[in-house]
Amino acid sequence: MKTMTCKQLGGACNKTFSADTFDEIVTMSKSHGMEMFEKNDKSHLDAMEEISVLMQDQSKMQEWFNQKKEEFNAL
Ligand SMILES: [Zn+2]
């Protein structure tokens, strides 16, 4: 079981997620992100905007994703 924070996963707070696989932890952070989005949490909205800019460039997004995955695997 590995633990990463919302912030480490491109979010904005220190909430932690624990999972065995990177895909699982991404799913957890995404649903937390959606929750914060619904609550109109400013810092999460800003963080999401940054990610959505990244998403417009597939190779940059892939690079970001791989980087986070490496971080997870290195834990
Ligand atoms: Zn968060």
Side-chain angles (χ1 to χ4, degrees):
M1 196 77 117
K2 294 176 176 189
T3 302
M4 278 178 96
T5 64
C6 175
K7 226 173 214 169
Q8 283 177 300
L9 291 160
C13 70
N14 290 320
K15 184 179 167 66
T16 57
F17 308 103
S18 299
D20 288 320
T21 66
F22 182 68
D23 284 346
E24 236 178 289
I25 212 163
V26 165
T27 305
M28 290 165 91
S29 94
K30 268 188 193 162
S31 70
H32 162 71
M34 284 311 292
E35 211 178 292
M36 295 321 250
F37 180 79
E38 275 163 27
K39 285 181 183 164
N40 247 328
D41 183 87
K42 173 90 169 81
S43 51
H44 284 82
L45 291 181
D46 287 348
M48 267 182 222
E49 201 175 298
E50 264 177 56
I51 299 284
S52 72
V53 170
L54 261 182
M55 273 183 193
Q56 288 164 18
D57 186 330
Q58 190 109 47
S59 63
K60 273 191 188 153
M61 188 63 211
Q62 195 59 47
E63 204 180 293
W64 181 89
F65 197 81
N66 288 341
Q67 200 183 315
K68 295 297 168 190
K69 194 168 187 169
E70 265 171 42
E71 250 177 72
F72 179 84
N73 288 334
L75 290 173

